[in-house]
Amino acid sequence: ETWRFALEEVDGSVQDAYAEEFKKRIEEKSNGDITVEIYPYGTLGTSSQLTELVQQDAIQLAFASPGHLASVIPETGVFTLHFLFSDDNEVNEQVLGSSKAIDMLQEAYHEQNLELLGVIPEGWMVWTADRQIQTPEDMEGFKIRTMTSPILVESYRAYGANPTPMPYSEVYSGLQLEQIDGQVNPIFAIEEMSFYEVQDYMIQAKQAQFITTLVAAQDFYSNLPEEQRQMVDEVTDNMRSYIFEKQAQFNEERLNTIKENSDIQVSTLTDEQRNAFREKSMSVRDTFIEQAGDRGKQILETLQQDIEAAEKQKSG
Ligand code: 6CS
């Protein structure tokens, strides 16, 4: 039996590291009854197309990042809201692995023929640009590529930027041809997609994590024999700590690679500078609730409570 697993990222990415380890663990545990075939980004289509293929059970497993998926499941847009999650990514990882908000979200996935298997942070979203950005004023008229969900577009409109949604595969050429002035992604992706080669500035504002979701075709998942379903649940649970360490390692190492291979200017916003963006970002929560309705509102509030509680607990 073959399970097809599609990635929204290329070979060597965080999603690839996840899939390779998942494959290894499943193939071992099933004593070779199951083979996992991995399809890196570019082989099957854009993120949105991959989601459609899973909905049809043409592919059994895929990553479906809220930055795109919120076009289909608006509730997932919660993961793209700015200044919602903790500045401490260990807190975020803990909340994403345990919050009741994830169960509420499962309903919304089921309505779209998808089974939600995990919510996974991949690192801080970092701006790359053709100019220095330290204030919302610096974003005035800035053509920033965003993922394709409407709520993300609103997040950058709130800063005064001119957001341009497009698929991941078009970003490099968009930057090179100056159709866009900048983009936003975690550091590992900025390195492996070579965006840093065609940009002059990298700005770390810690406004959001890149959070992805792992999905299965719902029919596939619910028709699995009980012991295989348990195996999938167990493996995906245990994968959490594995991938959390990997993403931290990839993001750290590749910042060095970028610095070694270019003279891109890397900066980090101060708390005061971040606050100016934070203030502007707050109105986007209302837009999110308009788009995601009551269930979206409940998910947002549950996450807020859980993040706050986890932060308190950690600081003692
Ligand atoms: O920017 C994007 O569209 C993509 N970025 C990453 C890091 N993963 C998948 C996503 O589609």
Side-chain angles (χ1 to χ4, degrees):
E1 197 183 344
T2 302
W3 296 356
R4 298 195 181 100
F5 189 168
L7 315 182
E8 305 169 288
E9 293 169 4
V10 297
D11 269 340
S13 61
V14 171
Q15 291 187 2
D16 184 40
Y18 188 104
E20 292 290 351
E21 185 64 22
F22 176 89
K23 172 184 166 74
K24 195 175 126 210
R25 295 186 188 187
I26 291 287
E27 290 180 355
E28 265 171 27
K29 277 184 192 281
S30 72
N31 293 318
D33 284 352
I34 297 161
T35 307
V36 178
E37 253 173 33
I38 302 171
Y39 294 82
Y41 191 63
T43 51
L44 295 172
T46 63
S47 289
S48 309
Q49 289 166 335
L50 297 182
T51 300
E52 283 170 23
L53 290 170
V54 179
Q55 285 175 309
Q56 297 156 12
D57 200 2
I59 303 172
Q60 288 67 52
L61 300 151
F63 284 103
S65 291
H68 299 287
L69 186 65
S71 307
V72 183
I73 306 177
E75 289 90 336
T76 64
V78 76
F79 298 121
T80 66
L81 291 175
H82 291 186
F83 299 101
L84 169 65
F85 281 90
S86 175
D87 289 355
D88 179 345
N89 204 26
E90 281 179 20
V91 166
N92 299 329
E93 161 53 20
Q94 187 198 324
V95 170
L96 293 172
S98 62
S99 174
K100 283 272 172 292
I102 311 303
D103 300 331
M104 295 183 214
L105 212 53
Q106 184 69 271
E107 272 176 45
Y109 276 68
H110 283 171
E111 287 164 19
Q112 290 296 329
N113 283 328
L114 297 169
E115 183 74 29
L116 174 61
L117 296 180
V119 183
I120 300 151
E122 295 190 28
W124 293 106
M125 289 294 251
V126 172
W127 298 323
T128 68
D130 63 354
R131 66 198 73 179
Q132 183 61 285
I133 294 170
Q134 294 176 324
T135 66
E137 290 70 45
D138 295 333
M139 275 212 186
E140 204 61 51
F142 176 58
K143 281 180 93 176
I144 183 166
R145 178 272 176 175
T146 64
M147 289 179 275
T148 49
S149 102
I151 195 71
L152 254 184
V153 172
E154 288 311 318
S155 295
Y156 283 94
R157 214 167 264 153
Y159 296 146
N162 185 356
T164 311
M166 59 170 75
Y168 198 34
S169 48
E170 291 169 25
V171 179
Y172 184 87
S173 64
L175 291 169
Q176 198 176 33
L177 303 175
E178 296 177 15
Q179 290 162 328
I180 43 175
D181 304 319
Q183 66 85 43
V184 49
N185 255 307
I187 289 168
F188 81 85
I190 293 170
E191 195 274 328
E192 73 195 9
M193 298 298 280
S194 306
F195 300 152
Y196 70 95
E197 291 176 357
V198 282
Q199 296 270 262
D200 299 318
Y201 296 89
M202 257 175 82
I203 303 106
Q204 310 188 82
K206 271 195 166 188
Q207 76 285 5
Q209 273 286 309
F210 182 92
I211 294 172
T212 193
T213 72
L214 176 63
V215 299
Q218 206 198 349
D219 283 348
F220 156 78
Y221 180 81
S222 54
N223 291 328
L224 282 176
E226 180 60 27
E227 85 255 17
Q228 288 190 5
R229 207 167 38 240
Q230 270 174 18
M231 177 176 70
V232 170
D233 292 348
E234 215 180 281
V235 169
T236 50
D237 275 353
N238 292 334
M239 284 291 298
R240 296 199 68 88
S241 56
Y242 175 84
I243 203 61
F244 189 68
E245 277 170 33
K246 276 277 172 214
Q247 63 79 27
Q249 181 200 332
F250 282 17
N251 284 306
E252 199 182 303
E253 286 172 359
R254 293 188 196 179
L255 180 58
N256 293 330
T257 313
I258 291 173
K259 285 178 177 169
E260 278 163 23
N261 292 309
S262 74
D263 48 19
I264 197 162
Q265 237 179 286
V266 182
S267 59
T268 304
L269 297 194
T270 63
D271 286 344
E272 209 181 324
Q273 287 169 331
R274 292 177 72 217
N275 280 339
F277 286 99
R278 187 196 306 269
E279 269 170 39
K280 297 239 177 226
S281 75
M282 287 303 147
S283 65
V284 183
R285 311 246 167 126
D286 298 330
T287 315
F288 166 74
I289 291 167
E290 275 164 34
Q291 292 182 7
D294 272 352
R295 187 166 54 196
K297 184 166 182 252
Q298 268 188 307
I299 290 169
L300 170 60
E301 288 170 355
T302 306
L303 279 174
Q304 276 173 320
Q305 286 162 11
D306 291 349
I307 293 161
E308 212 180 297
E311 278 183 332
K312 272 211 187 108
Q313 199 191 21
K314 204 175 170 193
S315 65

